[in-house]
Amino acid sequence: MPRSERISADSEPKSPLLTDTHVHLNLKAYRKDRPEVIARALGAGVGFMVNVGFDLATSRASVELAEEHEFVRASVGLHPHGASTLTEDLLAHLSELASHPTVIAIGETGLDYYRDLSPRDDQQRAFRRQIELARELNLPLIIHNRDALDDVLAIIDDEGASEVGGVMHCFPGDAAYAERVVELGFHIGIGGPVTYSARGRLAQVAEAVPLNRLLLETDAPWLTPEPHRGGRNEPSYVAVVAERIAEIRGMSVEDLARATTGNSTRLFGFPAAVEPSIAYEMWGNLYLNITNQCTNNCCFCIRNQTDTLWGYNLKLRSEPAVEELMVAIGDPGRYREIVFCGYGEPTMRLDVILEVGRRLKAQGARVRVDTNGQGSLLWNRNIAPELAEVVDAVSVSLNAQDAETYDRICGSRFGGKAYEHVLAFVSESVKAGLDVSVSVVDVPEIDIEAARRVAGELGVPLRVR
């Protein structure tokens, strides 16, 4: 791309919310006005775009485009339409391109039995070889899947594609198929067609797919959303897709955008889009990230996977003071609840909870603490009555049905005695008059029905996360 097409840094959003995970900006459809198209995308809040290659020429062009713009990343691959052209030499060229620092995925690759522009045996062979390449380079896959639902899943399974994951672009199946795709470790990419029908197949998928597995895309210049359908698609229209999916899911566009951008960041390795957050809003609540310390090292904890949650960066540079938190909260009346949580265990800063909680209660706010329930063990006293003076509710991470399981998967610094103290904390919190609930994570090690019985014996509701 000529240097004259570079977009001024002044055009770039300071805190990007949206990511278009599938676009083809290098095509001739944008030859005359590519800079304007990119500027409109940035103006619409698109912070990152994945420009997708589908043969050697477009893969090279994608890398060139990504070199020009720091908010663009490239993928390289061979579309099933051209599968018959795959040779070892072509694969070597794609591998060389994939080593470029702007390349974040292999694809688009996959199967297309609708047009069958290459024999199906060739399509399957090319798909398998590109999965092998993705695994060799530890890059996620961007998968094209049209009228080949079962064969795509079979090849993903056969070739161990779950090791690298990726996204099933322009999602072709129903909600049941989406569940199978997610179980294999892949994300669901949804674009303009979700706007075509109020309660069609894709709308049902958009509602059902777990939020942490959802990605937004346009596939521009194709698959233009309503009300622009019939014209050329462009990445700024990913905002239209976001609005429609947010409506379907009954959430704000801001929350959806932040969550899907967070998903893109984790999958594709985009740089962190935001500064560390000590207060972040989700679902009408304000969450206070007061510490990164924890008494547990749970095998399923997000801390072992990423620093971001729904697009928020939770890796604190320093623990916030009381006054800093009060400034970040602002008017507590704007929120349903103020929740002490953290990228760690909030009761490790009990003094902060008590002081900030006291001030919030004086302003009429509803206050909750999300905790692993080890605060009394940590401070060597029953802290439930102290909490009851300044907070309304506690949500306790039960996370096991028995002490042995808890010790194995949660790795508490307090060892085998931690679980009994968690149960005791729940009981003491109920006695203190707090609104108490417990939760477990839906992972194979946890017997959810047994945990539900434990919650029942404690007289509190169980939530499965």
Side-chain angles (χ1 to χ4, degrees):
M1 175 183 290
R3 289 284 171 179
S4 61
E5 289 196 15
R6 284 187 66 89
I7 307 299
S8 166
D10 293 339
S11 301
E12 299 171 24
K14 303 306 180 186
S15 297
L17 289 177
L18 292 161
T19 300
D20 185 349
T21 60
H22 200 110
V23 67
H24 303 279
L25 283 170
N26 53 285
L27 299 186
K28 63 181 180 180
Y30 304 107
R31 185 174 298 160
K32 294 181 179 179
D33 64 344
R34 189 180 294 111
E36 291 79 12
V37 169
I38 293 175
R40 281 195 293 273
L42 295 173
V46 181
F48 286 109
M49 299 170 234
V50 181
N51 201 79
V52 178
F54 51 79
D55 57 21
L56 186 56
T58 56
S59 295
R60 283 174 173 157
S62 291
V63 172
E64 291 173 3
L65 187 72
E67 285 181 320
E68 290 291 323
H69 302 293
E70 64 181 359
F71 44 81
V72 175
R73 295 294 186 272
S75 78
V76 300
L78 182 65
H79 193 283
H81 290 345
S84 295
T85 69
L86 185 67
T87 64
E88 290 304 310
D89 185 58
L90 174 55
L91 198 65
H93 281 300
L94 291 175
S95 179
E96 182 179 1
L97 278 175
S99 67
H100 193 279
T102 65
V103 174
I104 49 77
I106 299 298
E108 88 191 72
T109 180
L111 304 177
D112 192 316
Y113 292 173
Y114 176 76
R115 292 187 178 175
D116 272 334
L117 296 185
S118 285
R120 294 184 179 183
D121 287 348
D122 287 351
Q123 291 187 47
Q124 294 178 16
R125 179 178 62 88
F127 187 23
R128 290 179 185 275
R129 294 292 283 121
Q130 289 176 86
I131 292 175
E132 290 176 13
L133 178 61
R135 291 179 62 199
E136 289 171 7
L137 301 176
N138 195 31
L139 289 173
L141 289 149
I142 296 176
I143 294 178
H144 175 101
N145 179 1
R146 193 167 187 190
D147 287 3
L149 300 184
D150 289 338
D151 281 359
V152 165
L153 289 193
I155 291 174
I156 285 174
D157 195 29
D158 287 348
E159 298 296 332
S162 298
E163 290 183 13
V164 293
V167 55
M168 193 164 289
H169 140 73
C170 190
F171 188 73
D174 59 14
Y177 190 76
E179 185 175 354
R180 294 169 64 192
V181 171
V182 168
E183 286 175 354
L184 286 170
F186 280 76
H187 292 67
I188 306 297
I190 298 181
V194 75
T195 68
Y196 299 168
S197 173
R199 287 301 304 169
R201 168 190 61 81
L202 201 53
Q204 294 173 28
V205 171
E207 182 177 33
V209 65
L211 185 57
N212 66 347
R213 289 293 180 172
L214 178 63
L215 298 179
L216 306 181
E217 60 176 53
T218 59
D219 200 20
W222 304 294
L223 299 178
T224 310
E226 297 285 3
H228 308 287
R229 196 174 181 186
R232 180 192 67 178
N233 201 359
E234 59 180 69
S236 64
Y237 295 163
V238 77
V240 178
V241 175
E243 289 170 3
R244 176 66 184 123
I245 295 177
E247 178 185 14
I248 290 169
R249 296 184 71 103
M251 60 190 298
S252 73
V253 174
E254 292 77 14
D255 284 350
L256 178 77
R258 191 178 298 110
T260 51
T261 287
N263 298 341
S264 305
T265 298
R266 289 191 299 276
L267 178 62
F268 295 124
F270 290 136
V274 292
E275 289 294 303
S277 299
I278 63 171
Y280 57 97
E281 183 178 357
M282 285 291 293
W283 322 116
N285 296 336
L286 186 70
Y287 293 84
L288 302 181
N289 180 25
I290 66 173
T291 185
N292 285 174
Q293 302 178 70
C294 191
T295 56
N296 277 359
N297 184 24
C298 300
C299 63
F300 46 77
C301 183
I302 189 176
R303 290 155 53 95
N304 298 321
Q305 305 167 37
T306 178
D307 292 340
T308 63
L309 177 66
W310 309 141
Y312 290 105
N313 179 5
L314 301 185
K315 188 70 171 179
L316 295 171
R317 294 195 181 98
S318 60
E319 294 186 332
V322 168
E323 297 303 330
E324 189 178 0
L325 286 165
M326 295 307 300
V327 170
I329 293 166
D331 177 12
R334 295 180 295 164
Y335 309 106
R336 292 187 306 145
E337 278 188 319
I338 310 293
V339 185
F340 290 96
C341 55
Y343 199 50
E345 168 51 38
T347 61
M348 296 190 76
R349 301 194 71 202
L350 181 61
D351 58 335
V352 172
I353 293 176
L354 297 178
E355 177 58 24
V356 174
R358 180 185 62 77
R359 297 191 193 187
L360 291 175
K361 293 302 295 179
Q363 297 180 62
R366 177 174 169 83
V367 183
R368 188 176 89 225
V369 177
D370 285 356
T371 173
N372 64 18
Q374 296 175 25
S376 295
L377 183 58
L378 178 68
W379 294 103
N380 199 31
R381 67 178 189 270
N382 176 17
I383 68 169
E386 298 172 66
L387 290 175
E389 293 181 2
V390 299
V391 307
D392 301 280
V394 292
S395 178
V396 183
S397 298
L398 183 63
N399 281 342
Q401 64 277 6
D402 54 53
E404 180 183 355
T405 304
Y406 189 90
D407 188 39
R408 185 173 66 253
I409 69 176
C410 292
S412 173
R413 69 164 67 167
F414 298 112
K417 63 181 179 180
Y419 188 72
E420 64 182 271
H421 281 270
V422 172
L423 300 183
F425 175 77
V426 172
S427 296
E428 292 297 337
S429 295
V430 171
K431 290 179 185 177
L434 286 160
D435 181 3
V436 185
S437 63
V438 297
S439 66
V440 295
V441 177
D442 189 4
V443 295
E445 294 88 345
I446 297 176
D447 183 335
I448 292 174
E449 290 309 311
R452 200 180 304 279
R453 289 193 292 272
V454 172
E457 292 170 1
L458 292 168
V460 297
L462 175 78
R463 180 171 64 94
V464 180
R465 295 182 282 132

